[in-house]
Amino acid sequence: RESQRRRGANVDLVTTVVELDEQWRAQLQLIKATRDTARAEVEAAGLAAKAAAVNGSSADLAEAKASAGLAKRQLAKRL
């Protein structure tokens, strides 16, 4: 701000840039959190499918596969 003032430039521009940067950083954090959540959901669905396969229940396995597929589609939409 001081540099802008010494040059006779508009000091409010610095404030605007700082505010926009803060908004961008907050939005970036939200995007990263959403991505991480989606990845965790896909991983959980995959683990559920593996657990169902180990238990040998074909109904549980089919349900877990469907859940994993849904989680993957949701992840693709978010990214």
Coordinates of all heavy atoms in Angstrom, one line a residue:
R1 N 0.8 -1.2 0.0 CA 0.0 0.0 0.0 C 0.9 1.2 0.0 O 0.6 2.2 -0.7 CB -0.9 0.0 1.2 CG -2.0 -1.1 1.1 CD -3.0 -1.0 2.2 NE -4.0 -2.0 2.0 CZ -4.2 -3.1 2.8 NH1 -3.4 -3.3 3.8 NH2 -5.1 -4.0 2.5
E2 N 1.9 1.2 0.8 CA 2.8 2.3 0.9 C 3.5 2.6 -0.5 O 3.6 3.7 -0.9 CB 3.9 2.1 1.9 CG 4.9 3.2 2.1 CD 4.2 4.5 2.6 OE1 3.1 4.5 3.2 OE2 4.8 5.6 2.3
S3 N 3.8 1.5 -1.2 CA 4.5 1.6 -2.5 C 3.5 2.3 -3.5 O 3.9 3.2 -4.2 CB 4.9 0.2 -3.0 OG 5.4 0.3 -4.3
Q4 N 2.2 1.9 -3.4 CA 1.2 2.5 -4.3 C 1.1 4.0 -4.0 O 1.0 4.8 -4.9 CB -0.1 1.8 -4.1 CG -0.2 0.4 -4.7 CD -0.3 0.4 -6.2 OE1 0.7 0.4 -6.9 NE2 -1.5 0.5 -6.7
R5 N 1.1 4.3 -2.7 CA 0.9 5.7 -2.3 C 2.0 6.5 -2.8 O 1.8 7.6 -3.3 CB 0.8 5.8 -0.7 CG 0.4 7.2 -0.2 CD 0.5 7.3 1.3 NE 1.9 7.0 1.8 CZ 2.9 7.8 1.7 NH1 2.8 9.0 1.1 NH2 4.1 7.5 2.2
R6 N 3.3 6.0 -2.6 CA 4.5 6.8 -3.0 C 4.5 7.0 -4.5 O 5.0 8.1 -5.0 CB 5.7 6.0 -2.7 CG 6.1 6.2 -1.2 CD 7.5 5.7 -0.9 NE 7.8 4.3 -1.5 CZ 7.8 3.2 -0.8 NH1 7.8 3.3 0.5 NH2 8.0 2.1 -1.4
R7 N 3.9 6.1 -5.3 CA 3.9 6.3 -6.7 C 2.7 7.1 -7.2 O 2.5 7.4 -8.4 CB 3.8 4.9 -7.4 CG 5.2 4.2 -7.3 CD 5.1 2.9 -8.1 NE 4.4 1.9 -7.2 CZ 3.7 0.9 -7.7 NH1 3.5 0.7 -9.0 NH2 3.1 0.1 -6.9
G8 N 1.8 7.4 -6.3 CA 0.6 8.2 -6.6 C -0.5 7.4 -7.2 O -1.4 7.9 -7.9
A9 N -0.4 6.1 -7.0 CA -1.4 5.2 -7.6 C -2.5 4.9 -6.6 O -2.4 5.3 -5.4 CB -0.7 3.8 -7.9
N10 N -3.5 4.3 -7.0 CA -4.7 4.1 -6.2 C -4.4 3.0 -5.2 O -4.2 1.8 -5.5 CB -5.9 3.6 -7.1 CG -7.2 3.5 -6.3 OD1 -7.2 3.6 -5.1 ND2 -8.2 3.3 -7.1
V11 N -4.5 3.3 -3.9 CA -4.2 2.4 -2.8 C -5.3 1.4 -2.6 O -5.1 0.3 -2.2 CB -4.0 3.2 -1.5 CG1 -3.7 2.3 -0.3 CG2 -2.8 4.2 -1.6
D12 N -6.5 1.7 -3.0 CA -7.6 0.8 -2.9 C -7.4 -0.4 -3.8 O -8.0 -1.5 -3.5 CB -8.9 1.5 -3.3 CG -9.3 2.6 -2.3 OD1 -8.9 2.5 -1.1 OD2 -10.0 3.5 -2.7
L13 N -6.6 -0.3 -4.8 CA -6.4 -1.5 -5.7 C -5.7 -2.6 -4.9 O -6.0 -3.8 -5.1 CB -5.5 -1.1 -6.9 CG -6.2 -0.2 -7.9 CD1 -5.2 0.2 -9.0 CD2 -7.4 -0.9 -8.5
V14 N -4.8 -2.2 -4.0 CA -4.1 -3.2 -3.2 C -5.1 -3.9 -2.3 O -5.1 -5.2 -2.1 CB -3.0 -2.6 -2.3 CG1 -2.4 -3.6 -1.4 CG2 -1.9 -1.9 -3.2
T15 N -6.0 -3.2 -1.7 CA -7.0 -3.8 -0.8 C -7.9 -4.7 -1.6 O -8.2 -5.8 -1.1 CB -7.9 -2.7 -0.2 OG1 -7.0 -1.8 0.5 CG2 -8.9 -3.2 0.7
T16 N -8.3 -4.3 -2.8 CA -9.1 -5.2 -3.7 C -8.4 -6.5 -4.0 O -8.9 -7.6 -3.9 CB -9.5 -4.5 -4.9 OG1 -10.2 -3.3 -4.6 CG2 -10.3 -5.3 -5.8
V17 N -7.1 -6.4 -4.4 CA -6.3 -7.6 -4.7 C -6.2 -8.5 -3.5 O -6.3 -9.7 -3.6 CB -4.9 -7.2 -5.3 CG1 -4.0 -8.4 -5.4 CG2 -5.1 -6.5 -6.6
V18 N -5.9 -7.9 -2.3 CA -5.8 -8.8 -1.1 C -7.1 -9.5 -0.8 O -7.1 -10.7 -0.5 CB -5.4 -7.9 0.1 CG1 -5.5 -8.7 1.4 CG2 -3.9 -7.4 -0.1
E19 N -8.2 -8.8 -1.0 CA -9.5 -9.4 -0.7 C -9.8 -10.5 -1.7 O -10.3 -11.6 -1.4 CB -10.7 -8.4 -0.8 CG -10.7 -7.4 0.4 CD -11.6 -6.3 0.2 OE1 -12.3 -6.2 -0.8 OE2 -11.8 -5.5 1.2
L20 N -9.5 -10.3 -3.0 CA -9.7 -11.3 -4.0 C -8.8 -12.5 -3.8 O -9.3 -13.7 -4.0 CB -9.5 -10.7 -5.4 CG -10.5 -9.7 -5.9 CD1 -10.1 -9.1 -7.2 CD2 -11.9 -10.4 -6.1
D21 N -7.6 -12.3 -3.3 CA -6.7 -13.4 -3.0 C -7.2 -14.2 -1.9 O -7.2 -15.5 -1.9 CB -5.3 -12.8 -2.7 CG -4.3 -14.0 -2.4 OD1 -4.0 -14.7 -3.4 OD2 -3.9 -14.1 -1.3
E22 N -7.8 -13.6 -0.9 CA -8.3 -14.3 0.3 C -9.5 -15.2 -0.2 O -9.7 -16.3 0.3 CB -8.7 -13.3 1.4 CG -7.5 -12.7 2.1 CD -7.9 -11.6 3.1 OE1 -9.1 -11.3 3.1 OE2 -7.0 -11.1 3.8
Q23 N -10.4 -14.6 -1.0 CA -11.5 -15.4 -1.5 C -11.1 -16.6 -2.4 O -11.6 -17.6 -2.2 CB -12.4 -14.5 -2.4 CG -13.1 -13.4 -1.6 CD -13.9 -12.4 -2.5 OE1 -13.9 -12.6 -3.7 NE2 -14.5 -11.4 -1.9
W24 N -10.1 -16.3 -3.2 CA -9.6 -17.4 -4.0 C -9.0 -18.5 -3.2 O -9.2 -19.7 -3.5 CB -8.5 -16.8 -5.0 CG -7.9 -17.9 -5.8 CD1 -8.4 -18.5 -7.0 CD2 -6.6 -18.5 -5.6 NE1 -7.5 -19.4 -7.4 CE2 -6.4 -19.5 -6.6 CE3 -5.6 -18.3 -4.6 CZ2 -5.2 -20.2 -6.7 CZ3 -4.5 -19.1 -4.7 CH2 -4.3 -20.0 -5.7
R25 N -8.2 -18.2 -2.2 CA -7.6 -19.2 -1.3 C -8.7 -20.0 -0.6 O -8.6 -21.2 -0.4 CB -6.6 -18.5 -0.3 CG -5.4 -18.0 -1.0 CD -4.5 -17.3 0.0 NE -3.4 -16.6 -0.7 CZ -2.2 -17.2 -0.9 NH1 -1.9 -18.4 -0.4 NH2 -1.2 -16.5 -1.5
A26 N -9.7 -19.3 -0.1 CA -10.8 -20.0 0.6 C -11.5 -21.0 -0.4 O -11.8 -22.1 0.0 CB -11.8 -19.0 1.1
Q27 N -11.7 -20.5 -1.6 CA -12.4 -21.4 -2.6 C -11.5 -22.6 -2.9 O -12.0 -23.7 -3.1 CB -12.7 -20.6 -3.9 CG -13.5 -21.4 -4.9 CD -13.9 -20.5 -6.1 OE1 -13.3 -19.4 -6.3 NE2 -14.8 -21.0 -6.8
L28 N -10.2 -22.4 -3.0 CA -9.3 -23.4 -3.3 C -9.3 -24.5 -2.1 O -9.3 -25.7 -2.4 CB -7.9 -22.9 -3.5 CG -6.8 -23.9 -3.9 CD1 -7.1 -24.5 -5.2 CD2 -5.4 -23.2 -3.9
Q29 N -9.4 -24.0 -0.9 CA -9.4 -24.9 0.2 C -10.7 -25.8 0.2 O -10.7 -27.0 0.4 CB -9.4 -24.2 1.6 CG -8.0 -23.7 1.9 CD -8.0 -23.0 3.3 OE1 -9.0 -22.3 3.6 NE2 -6.9 -23.1 4.0
L30 N -11.8 -25.1 -0.2 CA -13.1 -25.9 -0.4 C -13.0 -26.9 -1.5 O -13.4 -28.1 -1.3 CB -14.2 -24.9 -0.7 CG -15.6 -25.5 -0.9 CD1 -16.1 -26.2 0.4 CD2 -16.6 -24.4 -1.3
I31 N -12.4 -26.6 -2.6 CA -12.2 -27.5 -3.7 C -11.3 -28.7 -3.2 O -11.7 -29.9 -3.5 CB -11.6 -26.8 -4.9 CG1 -12.6 -25.9 -5.5 CG2 -11.1 -27.8 -5.9 CD1 -12.0 -24.9 -6.6
K32 N -10.3 -28.4 -2.5 CA -9.4 -29.5 -2.0 C -10.1 -30.4 -1.0 O -10.0 -31.6 -1.1 CB -8.1 -28.9 -1.4 CG -7.2 -28.4 -2.4 CD -5.9 -27.8 -1.8 CE -4.9 -27.3 -2.8 NZ -3.7 -26.7 -2.1
A33 N -10.9 -29.8 -0.2 CA -11.7 -30.6 0.8 C -12.7 -31.5 0.1 O -12.9 -32.6 0.5 CB -12.3 -29.6 1.8
T34 N -13.4 -30.9 -0.9 CA -14.4 -31.7 -1.6 C -13.7 -32.9 -2.3 O -14.2 -34.0 -2.3 CB -15.1 -30.8 -2.6 OG1 -15.7 -29.7 -1.9 CG2 -16.1 -31.6 -3.4
R35 N -12.5 -32.6 -2.9 CA -11.8 -33.7 -3.6 C -11.4 -34.7 -2.7 O -11.5 -35.9 -2.9 CB -10.6 -33.0 -4.3 CG -9.7 -34.1 -5.1 CD -8.4 -33.6 -5.4 NE -7.7 -33.3 -4.2 CZ -6.7 -32.4 -4.0 NH1 -6.3 -31.7 -5.1 NH2 -6.1 -32.2 -2.9
D36 N -10.8 -34.3 -1.5 CA -10.4 -35.3 -0.5 C -11.6 -36.1 0.0 O -11.4 -37.4 0.2 CB -9.7 -34.6 0.6 CG -8.4 -34.0 0.2 OD1 -7.8 -34.3 -0.9 OD2 -7.8 -33.1 1.0
T37 N -12.7 -35.5 0.2 CA -13.9 -36.2 0.7 C -14.3 -37.3 -0.4 O -14.6 -38.4 0.0 CB -15.0 -35.3 0.9 OG1 -14.6 -34.3 2.0 CG2 -16.3 -36.0 1.4
A38 N -14.3 -36.8 -1.6 CA -14.7 -37.8 -2.7 C -13.8 -38.9 -2.8 O -14.2 -40.1 -3.0 CB -14.8 -37.0 -4.0
R39 N -12.5 -38.7 -2.7 CA -11.5 -39.8 -2.7 C -11.7 -40.7 -1.6 O -11.6 -41.9 -1.7 CB -10.1 -39.2 -2.7 CG -9.7 -38.6 -4.0 CD -8.2 -38.1 -3.9 NE -7.8 -37.5 -5.1 CZ -6.7 -36.8 -5.3 NH1 -5.9 -36.6 -4.3 NH2 -6.4 -36.3 -6.5
A40 N -12.0 -40.2 -0.4 CA -12.3 -41.0 0.8 C -13.5 -41.9 0.6 O -13.6 -43.1 1.0 CB -12.4 -40.2 2.0
E41 N -14.6 -41.3 0.0 CA -15.8 -42.1 -0.3 C -15.5 -43.2 -1.3 O -16.0 -44.3 -1.1 CB -16.9 -41.2 -0.9 CG -17.4 -40.2 0.1 CD -18.4 -39.2 -0.5 OE1 -18.5 -39.1 -1.7 OE2 -19.0 -38.4 0.3
V42 N -14.7 -42.9 -2.3 CA -14.4 -44.0 -3.3 C -13.6 -45.1 -2.6 O -13.8 -46.3 -2.8 CB -13.6 -43.4 -4.5 CG1 -13.0 -44.5 -5.4 CG2 -14.6 -42.5 -5.3
E43 N -12.6 -44.7 -1.8 CA -11.8 -45.7 -1.1 C -12.6 -46.5 -0.1 O -12.5 -47.7 -0.1 CB -10.7 -45.0 -0.3 CG -9.7 -45.9 0.4 CD -8.6 -45.2 1.1 OE1 -8.4 -44.0 0.9 OE2 -7.9 -45.9 1.9
A44 N -13.6 -45.9 0.6 CA -14.4 -46.6 1.5 C -15.3 -47.6 0.7 O -15.5 -48.7 1.2 CB -15.3 -45.6 2.3
A45 N -15.8 -47.2 -0.4 CA -16.7 -48.1 -1.2 C -15.8 -49.3 -1.7 O -16.3 -50.4 -1.7 CB -17.3 -47.3 -2.4
G46 N -14.6 -49.0 -2.1 CA -13.7 -50.1 -2.5 C -13.4 -51.1 -1.4 O -13.4 -52.3 -1.6
L47 N -13.2 -50.5 -0.2 CA -12.9 -51.4 0.9 C -14.2 -52.2 1.3 O -14.0 -53.4 1.7 CB -12.5 -50.6 2.1 CG -11.1 -49.9 2.0 CD1 -10.8 -49.0 3.2 CD2 -10.0 -51.0 1.9
A48 N -15.3 -51.6 1.2 CA -16.5 -52.4 1.4 C -16.7 -53.5 0.4 O -17.1 -54.6 0.8 CB -17.7 -51.4 1.4
A49 N -16.4 -53.3 -0.8 CA -16.4 -54.3 -1.8 C -15.5 -55.4 -1.5 O -15.8 -56.6 -1.6 CB -16.2 -53.7 -3.2
K50 N -14.3 -55.1 -1.1 CA -13.3 -56.1 -0.7 C -13.8 -56.9 0.5 O -13.6 -58.1 0.5 CB -11.9 -55.5 -0.4 CG -11.2 -55.0 -1.7 CD -9.9 -54.4 -1.3 CE -9.2 -53.8 -2.5 NZ -7.9 -53.2 -2.2
A51 N -14.3 -56.2 1.5 CA -14.8 -56.9 2.6 C -15.9 -57.9 2.3 O -16.0 -59.0 2.8 CB -15.3 -55.9 3.7
A52 N -16.8 -57.5 1.4 CA -17.9 -58.3 1.0 C -17.4 -59.5 0.2 O -17.9 -60.6 0.4 CB -18.9 -57.5 0.1
A53 N -16.4 -59.3 -0.6 CA -15.8 -60.4 -1.3 C -15.1 -61.4 -0.4 O -15.2 -62.6 -0.6 CB -14.8 -59.9 -2.3
V54 N -14.5 -60.9 0.6 CA -13.9 -61.8 1.6 C -14.9 -62.6 2.4 O -14.7 -63.8 2.6 CB -13.0 -61.0 2.6 CG1 -12.5 -61.9 3.8 CG2 -11.8 -60.5 1.9
N55 N -16.0 -62.0 2.7 CA -17.1 -62.7 3.4 C -17.9 -63.6 2.5 O -18.6 -64.5 3.0 CB -18.1 -61.7 4.0 CG -17.4 -60.9 5.1 OD1 -16.5 -61.4 5.8 ND2 -17.9 -59.7 5.4
G56 N -17.7 -63.5 1.2 CA -18.3 -64.4 0.2 C -19.8 -64.2 0.0 O -20.4 -65.0 -0.7
S57 N -20.3 -63.1 0.5 CA -21.8 -62.9 0.2 C -21.9 -62.2 -1.1 O -21.5 -61.1 -1.3 CB -22.3 -62.0 1.3 OG -23.6 -61.6 1.0
S58 N -22.6 -62.9 -2.1 CA -22.7 -62.3 -3.4 C -23.7 -61.1 -3.4 O -23.5 -60.1 -4.1 CB -23.2 -63.3 -4.4 OG -24.5 -63.8 -4.0
A59 N -24.7 -61.1 -2.5 CA -25.6 -59.9 -2.4 C -24.8 -58.7 -1.9 O -25.0 -57.6 -2.4 CB -26.8 -60.3 -1.5
D60 N -24.0 -58.9 -0.8 CA -23.2 -57.8 -0.3 C -22.2 -57.3 -1.3 O -21.9 -56.2 -1.4 CB -22.5 -58.3 1.0 CG -23.4 -58.5 2.2 OD1 -24.6 -58.0 2.1 OD2 -23.0 -59.2 3.1
L61 N -21.6 -58.2 -2.1 CA -20.6 -57.9 -3.1 C -21.3 -57.0 -4.2 O -20.7 -56.0 -4.6 CB -20.0 -59.1 -3.7 CG -18.9 -58.9 -4.7 CD1 -17.8 -58.0 -4.2 CD2 -18.4 -60.2 -5.3
A62 N -22.4 -57.4 -4.6 CA -23.1 -56.7 -5.6 C -23.5 -55.3 -5.1 O -23.3 -54.3 -5.9 CB -24.4 -57.4 -6.1
E63 N -23.9 -55.2 -3.9 CA -24.3 -53.9 -3.3 C -23.0 -53.0 -3.2 O -23.0 -51.8 -3.5 CB -24.9 -54.1 -2.0 CG -25.3 -52.8 -1.3 CD -26.0 -53.0 0.0 OE1 -26.6 -54.1 0.3 OE2 -25.9 -52.1 0.9
A64 N -21.9 -53.6 -2.7 CA -20.7 -52.9 -2.6 C -20.1 -52.4 -3.9 O -19.6 -51.3 -4.1 CB -19.6 -53.7 -1.9
K65 N -20.2 -53.2 -5.0 CA -19.8 -52.8 -6.3 C -20.6 -51.7 -6.8 O -20.1 -50.7 -7.4 CB -19.9 -54.0 -7.3 CG -18.8 -55.0 -7.1 CD -18.9 -56.1 -8.2 CE -17.8 -57.1 -8.0 NZ -17.9 -58.2 -9.0
A66 N -21.9 -51.7 -6.6 CA -22.8 -50.6 -7.0 C -22.5 -49.4 -6.3 O -22.4 -48.3 -6.8 CB -24.3 -51.0 -6.8
S67 N -22.2 -49.5 -5.0 CA -21.8 -48.3 -4.2 C -20.5 -47.7 -4.7 O -20.3 -46.5 -4.7 CB -21.7 -48.7 -2.7 OG -21.2 -47.6 -1.9
A68 N -19.5 -48.6 -5.0 CA -18.2 -48.1 -5.5 C -18.4 -47.4 -6.8 O -17.8 -46.4 -7.1 CB -17.3 -49.3 -5.6
G69 N -19.3 -48.0 -7.7 CA -19.5 -47.3 -9.0 C -20.2 -46.0 -8.8 O -19.8 -45.0 -9.5
L70 N -21.1 -45.9 -7.9 CA -21.8 -44.6 -7.6 C -20.8 -43.6 -7.1 O -20.8 -42.4 -7.5 CB -22.9 -44.8 -6.6 CG -23.6 -43.5 -6.2 CD1 -24.3 -42.8 -7.3 CD2 -24.7 -43.9 -5.1
A71 N -19.9 -44.0 -6.2 CA -18.9 -43.1 -5.6 C -18.0 -42.6 -6.7 O -17.6 -41.4 -6.7 CB -18.2 -43.8 -4.5
K72 N -17.6 -43.5 -7.6 CA -16.7 -43.1 -8.7 C -17.4 -42.1 -9.6 O -16.7 -41.1 -10.1 CB -16.2 -44.3 -9.5 CG -15.2 -45.2 -8.8 CD -14.8 -46.4 -9.6 CE -13.9 -47.2 -8.8 NZ -13.5 -48.4 -9.6
R73 N -18.6 -42.3 -9.9 CA -19.4 -41.3 -10.8 C -19.5 -40.0 -10.1 O -19.3 -38.9 -10.7 CB -20.7 -41.9 -11.2 CG -20.7 -43.0 -12.2 CD -22.0 -43.4 -12.7 NE -22.9 -43.9 -11.7 CZ -23.0 -45.1 -11.2 NH1 -22.1 -46.0 -11.6 NH2 -23.8 -45.5 -10.3
Q74 N -19.7 -40.0 -8.8 CA -19.8 -38.7 -8.0 C -18.5 -38.0 -8.0 O -18.5 -36.8 -8.2 CB -20.3 -39.0 -6.6 CG -21.7 -39.4 -6.5 CD -22.2 -39.8 -5.1 OE1 -21.3 -40.1 -4.3 NE2 -23.5 -39.9 -4.9
L75 N -17.4 -38.7 -7.9 CA -16.1 -38.1 -7.9 C -15.8 -37.5 -9.3 O -15.3 -36.4 -9.4 CB -15.0 -39.2 -7.6 CG -13.6 -38.7 -7.7 CD1 -13.3 -37.6 -6.8 CD2 -12.6 -39.9 -7.5
A76 N -16.2 -38.2 -10.3 CA -16.0 -37.7 -11.7 C -16.7 -36.4 -11.9 O -16.2 -35.4 -12.5 CB -16.3 -38.7 -12.7
K77 N -17.9 -36.3 -11.4 CA -18.7 -35.1 -11.5 C -18.1 -33.9 -10.7 O -18.1 -32.8 -11.1 CB -20.1 -35.3 -11.0 CG -21.0 -36.1 -11.9 CD -22.4 -36.3 -11.3 CE -23.3 -37.2 -12.1 NZ -24.6 -37.4 -11.5
R78 N -17.5 -34.2 -9.6 CA -17.0 -33.1 -8.7 C -15.7 -32.6 -9.3 O -15.3 -31.5 -9.1 CB -16.7 -33.7 -7.3 CG -18.0 -33.9 -6.6 CD -17.7 -34.4 -5.2 NE -19.0 -34.8 -4.5 CZ -19.0 -35.3 -3.3 NH1 -17.9 -35.6 -2.7 NH2 -20.1 -35.7 -2.8
L79 N -14.9 -33.4 -9.9 CA -13.6 -33.0 -10.5 C -13.8 -32.6 -11.9 O -13.8 -31.7 -12.5 CB -12.6 -34.1 -10.4 CG -12.4 -34.7 -9.0 CD1 -11.4 -35.9 -9.2 CD2 -11.8 -33.7 -8.1

